[in-house]
Amino acid sequence: MTVWSVIGSGVAGLAVASELVSRGAQVQIFDPGGPPGPHGCSWWAGGMLAPWCEFENAEESVLRLGQHALEWWGTRTRVQRRGTLVVANPRDLPDLRRFSRRTEGFAEVDQPKIRELEPDLHGFTRGLHFADEAHLDPRQALRDLYTQLVKQGVEFHHKLAPTRLENAIDCRGLHARDVLHDLRGVKGEMLVIRCPDVTLTRPVRLLHPRIPLYIVPRGDGVYMLGATMIESEDSSRITARSMLELLSAAYALNPAFGEAEVLEIGVDLRPAFPDNLPRIRRLGRTIYANGLYRHGYLLAPALAQGVADLALKNTHSEMVDEDRA
Amino acid sequence: MKLFYGTQLPNPLMLGTAQYPSPAILEQAFRDSGAGVATVSLRRESGAGQTFWQMIRDLGVLILPNTAGCHTVKEAVTTAHMAREVFDTKWIKLELIGHTDSLQPDVFQLVEAARILTEDGFQVFPYTTDDLIVGEQLLAAGCEVLMPWGAPIGSGRGLNNAYALRAMRAEFPDVPLVVDAGIGLPSHASHAMELGYDAVLLNTAVARAGDPAMMAKAMKLAIEAGHLSYQADPIEARDMAEPSTPVIGKAFLS
C-alpha cells in the first residue's frame, strides 16, 4: 500500500494528513520542529471560520470553499458556532456600509441588539451580525489533529524529510519557497491578552480605515488580538506602532482592555501566492499544497480535500494550477 | 505635457500600490488603468518587503517611492534614503503628516525636509496643501513639482476647494501640478484635469473599490476626458441661455 509522506505539521500538513487518513490512506509526517508549536505560523492564527466576513476583501472562492470548513472542523475539534459581530465607531460608519455592501449572510443590528449579543460592547450604534460563522482555538485544533493522527497510527518523524521521497506532499508553508518561487510572506502581528473584566463570547471585528482589528475570545478571559497585514518578510519582531494600534483598537472596543495583561506577542509570515489564494501543484513525485495566506483554518479543509482528490483519485480541484507529474 | 524632473510621463495617472485585496488584483488594476507611475510606501516594510517590491518593479512603470506615515523631518529623510537604495531612483514623494485624523501635511516640516533632500540630490514630489505661499516656499526649496491635496487622504471627497486649486494653477503656470489625495470618483479625477492639472495621484479609490480593475479603467477614461477637455478650451459658463440654433426667422419676439 502506498505510504504518503506529508512534510510539515502546520494546519495545512495536519489537515492533509487527516483527510488522507479519513479516506483510508496510509500517512507519515515529517517536521523537524516537532509537534505543532510556535515554530509554525498556524500557531499564531485567529481561528475564525468566517467565510462571509472574509469575502469583504477576498475572491469568491474563499466564501465558497470556506463554507465547508465549519463541518470539517466540527468532527475534529471544538467549534464554537456563535457567529461574528462587526462594529464601527460612529465616525467610521461609511466603512460599515461598505462592509455590508461587500458581504452577505448578516443581519444589521442596532445598539440594543449589540448589547444583547455582547453586553460589554458600549457605544456602538450599528453593527452586522454574521450568525452562521464560527471560531475555534487554533492551538487546540492542531493538538486535536495531532492526537487523532497518532491514535490512527500515523507516524511522526521529528526530522527533515529525506530527499527523493516517493509520494510526498509538501506543506512547508513559506519554507517551500525554494521550489515555489511565486510564494511570498505577508507579515502578521498579534497579541494574546488576559482581561477577565471584559466578557466577549464571539469574535468581534472593529472596522477602521487604517487599523481593522479582530478580537477572538479564547475563554477564561483570554483574547487573541489580531492582526496586522504588512507586505514585509521580516518576522523578527513586532513594531511599536503595530502594538499601539492593536491595543488602541482593543481599548476602543472597551476601555477596560486597558487593564489587560499582555501574555504573548506573536509575529510570523503568512505564505501567500500573488492572488492570495491557495494552490496545489504536482511537480514530479511531490504534491505541493501551500498559500493559505490569512485563511489557514478556513481553507485548510478545502485544500486537504483537493490534495486527497489529486493524490488518491487523480482528480483536479480548482486549486490545482500545475501538474507536471 | 510638462516634464517631471525631465521625465515625460506616459500618461497623467499616478496610482498607489497599497490596500489591494491581492498583488494579482493590483497588477490587473495597473494594466487596466495604464498608469505610468506607481507610488510605493516604504515606511512599514522596514527594508524587508523584497518580494512585494519586486512585484512593483515588475509592473514596468516608473516608481515613485513615498514617505507615507512619516511625522518628522528626520523620519522622512531616513525613509527617502532607504527608498533611493531600494528602488534606485532620485524621485521621492515627500509626505509629512501633521495631523493624525485628517492626515493633513505639516507644511513647515515639509519645506524643511524638501530643502534637505533637494540639496542631497533628490527630486522631490511634495504632498502639500493648496496654500500658494507654501507652494512658493517649496519651489524655493528646490522642488520642481507640487502635489496639492484635493481632500484628506482616503476620504474620497473630491476637490474640497476647487477655487484654491484653480488659483494654484494660475499662480504656477509652468510647474507640473498633481492633485494628490482625496479622489473618490472618476468625476473628481476628471475635475482635476479640467482645471489644467498635469496629473492625478490616487490609491484608495481604486484599491478599495469593489472591483479595483474596473475602477482603475474608469479613472483612466475620466482623466483622459478631463485632459482633453482642458486642451479643447471649454466654453465659459453663463447665466442666460445661448441658443445653439439660429433664431432669426422664428417668432422669438412675439
Side-chain angles (χ1 to χ4, degrees):
Chain A
M1 188 178 172
T2 305
V3 178
W4 294 93
S5 296
V6 174
I7 309 171
S9 63
V11 68
L14 293 180
V16 164
S18 176
E19 180 68 23
L20 285 172
V21 169
S22 76
R23 298 192 193 186
Q26 205 175 336
V27 176
Q28 58 178 346
I29 299 184
F30 292 88
D31 191 330
H39 56 277
C41 76
S42 34
W43 189 255
W44 304 103
M48 289 181 297
L49 303 177
W52 288 275
C53 278
E54 288 299 317
F55 184 46
E56 184 256 337
N57 200 27
E59 306 273 345
E60 170 275 336
S61 54
V62 171
L63 175 61
R64 186 163 36 80
L65 299 171
Q67 288 181 37
H68 306 299
L70 278 79
E71 194 192 332
W72 195 93
W73 284 111
T75 60
R76 289 163 170 90
T77 190
R78 181 170 177 232
V79 172
Q80 306 219 49
R81 294 166 188 263
R82 297 193 49 82
T84 305
L85 188 57
V86 179
V87 294
N89 283 308
R91 59 188 280 175
D92 297 325
L93 286 179
D95 290 304
L96 195 70
R97 286 197 292 273
R98 176 181 185 276
F99 200 95
S100 70
R101 276 204 312 276
R102 304 284 306 278
T103 54
E104 51 190 75
F106 59 82
E108 292 191 26
V109 285
D110 56 7
Q111 192 160 19
K113 182 68 182 169
I114 293 172
R115 293 297 296 276
E116 186 190 315
L117 289 167
E118 295 293 352
D120 277 356
L121 282 185
H122 307 264
F124 294 98
T125 53
R126 297 270 187 75
L128 307 172
H129 182 219
F130 293 78
D132 295 332
E133 295 191 334
H135 67 285
L136 50 74
D137 178 340
R139 296 176 188 180
Q140 191 56 47
L142 294 176
R143 278 193 288 260
D144 287 343
L145 285 185
Y146 184 86
T147 313
Q148 287 152 23
L149 289 167
V150 169
K151 262 193 212 153
Q152 288 159 338
V154 170
E155 204 176 339
F156 276 80
H157 306 282
H158 297 155
K159 59 180 186 192
L160 285 172
T163 46
R164 298 204 186 134
L165 206 53
E166 294 282 334
N167 303 312
I169 301 170
D170 185 313
C171 303
R172 288 181 294 144
L174 203 54
H175 291 287
R177 292 176 90 172
D178 51 356
V179 180
L180 308 174
H181 299 295
D182 50 347
L183 204 58
R184 77 185 194 288
V186 180
K187 184 179 182 182
E189 297 151 310
M190 59 80 95
L191 301 173
V192 180
I193 61 174
R194 177 158 47 220
C195 189
D197 295 348
V198 182
T199 303
L200 297 176
T201 63
R202 54 174 64 71
V204 176
R205 294 179 183 230
L206 175 64
L207 301 184
H208 184 281
R210 291 200 308 280
I211 324 151
L213 166 118
Y214 57 81
I215 182 160
V216 189
R218 291 272 193 262
D220 297 326
V222 175
Y223 296 92
M224 181 271 189
L225 275 180
T228 57
M229 300 261 291
I230 304 173
E231 288 289 351
S232 165
E233 295 178 324
D234 176 3
S235 63
S236 51
R237 60 193 71 83
I238 192 170
T239 62
R241 178 184 301 104
S242 295
M243 180 97 102
L244 276 168
E245 286 176 350
L246 290 172
L247 291 173
S248 316
Y251 187 81
L253 277 183
N254 188 325
F257 276 120
E259 300 299 321
E261 289 171 78
V262 177
L263 300 181
E264 282 182 52
I265 298 167
V267 187
D268 217 325
L269 302 179
R270 309 170 177 93
F273 288 108
D275 60 2
N276 294 341
L277 293 173
R279 291 271 190 288
I280 298 167
R281 285 181 189 162
R282 184 157 60 183
L283 306 172
R285 284 171 298 190
T286 304
I287 294 172
Y288 292 85
N290 215 315
L292 285 169
Y293 182 51
R294 59 177 272 147
H295 303 126
Y297 291 81
L298 184 61
L299 296 186
L303 183 76
Q305 286 160 354
V307 169
D309 287 345
L310 183 64
L312 306 179
K313 299 191 290 186
N314 202 27
T315 55
H316 293 61
S317 73
E318 64 184 281
M319 276 176 277
V320 178
D321 74 336
E322 208 177 344
D323 194 348
R324 286 192 273 131
Chain B
M1 211 173 138
K2 296 187 185 72
L3 297 180
F4 289 71
Y5 291 102
T7 299
Q8 179 79 56
L9 301 190
N11 66 58
L13 175 57
M14 301 179 171
L15 191 56
T17 55
Q19 302 185 65
Y20 291 81
S22 70
I25 291 175
L26 182 159
E27 195 197 341
Q28 187 64 44
F30 267 82
R31 261 208 301 275
D32 291 359
S33 73
V37 176
T39 63
V40 196
S41 155
L42 259 97
R43 200 181 146 60
R44 294 294 304 256
E45 282 79 2
S46 342
Q50 297 94 342
T51 306
F52 184 69
W53 289 339
Q54 192 52 46
M55 287 171 171
I56 305 293
R57 288 191 197 98
D58 291 345
L59 293 171
V61 299
L62 294 162
I63 292 180
L64 175 58
N66 70 40
T67 64
C70 289
H71 286 73
T72 65
V73 171
K74 192 176 169 186
E75 275 180 295
V77 169
T78 308
T79 307
H81 278 271
M82 207 169 96
R84 186 159 67 179
E85 275 183 35
V86 170
F87 289 110
D88 193 26
T89 174
K90 293 178 186 172
W91 283 13
I92 187 76
K93 179 191 154 184
L94 183 59
E95 199 176 307
L96 262 156
I97 300 304
H99 189 256
T100 318
D101 279 350
S102 67
L103 302 179
Q104 178 166 347
D106 176 337
V107 296
F108 302 96
Q109 293 204 83
L110 183 67
V111 171
E112 191 188 337
R115 185 178 303 113
I116 293 170
L117 290 170
T118 304
E119 281 170 8
D120 209 357
F122 283 93
Q123 297 174 333
V124 178
F125 294 62
Y127 165 60
T128 179
T129 63
D130 49 32
D131 188 295
L132 296 181
I133 313 306
V134 172
E136 270 174 29
Q137 296 282 330
L138 286 166
L139 296 176
C143 296
E144 295 178 18
V145 174
L146 295 175
M147 305 215 292
W149 63 352
I153 295 171
S155 67
R157 303 186 66 84
L159 310 188
N160 264 352
N161 192 345
Y163 160 78
L165 291 170
R166 192 179 289 118
M168 207 156 184
R169 180 69 287 175
E171 178 73 11
F172 306 113
D174 303 320
V175 178
L177 295 181
V178 184
V179 168
D180 177 4
I183 303 293
L185 293 169
S187 54
H188 302 151
S190 181
H191 191 189
M193 297 306 291
E194 287 162 27
L195 294 178
Y197 274 66
D198 300 287
V200 172
L201 195 164
L202 54 93
N203 186 345
T204 311
V206 166
R208 301 272 289 163
D211 186 333
M214 198 186 289
M215 186 59 85
K217 185 171 181 194
M219 289 294 180
K220 169 204 170 108
L221 296 173
I223 287 170
E224 197 180 328
H227 191 45
L228 287 173
S229 151
Y230 181 70
Q231 291 170 316
D233 188 14
I235 61 162
E236 295 292 326
R238 48 190 299 143
D239 290 338
M240 290 299 160
E242 183 183 359
S244 56
T245 46
V247 288
I248 292 170
K250 305 236 172 98
F252 63 94
L253 291 176
S254 62

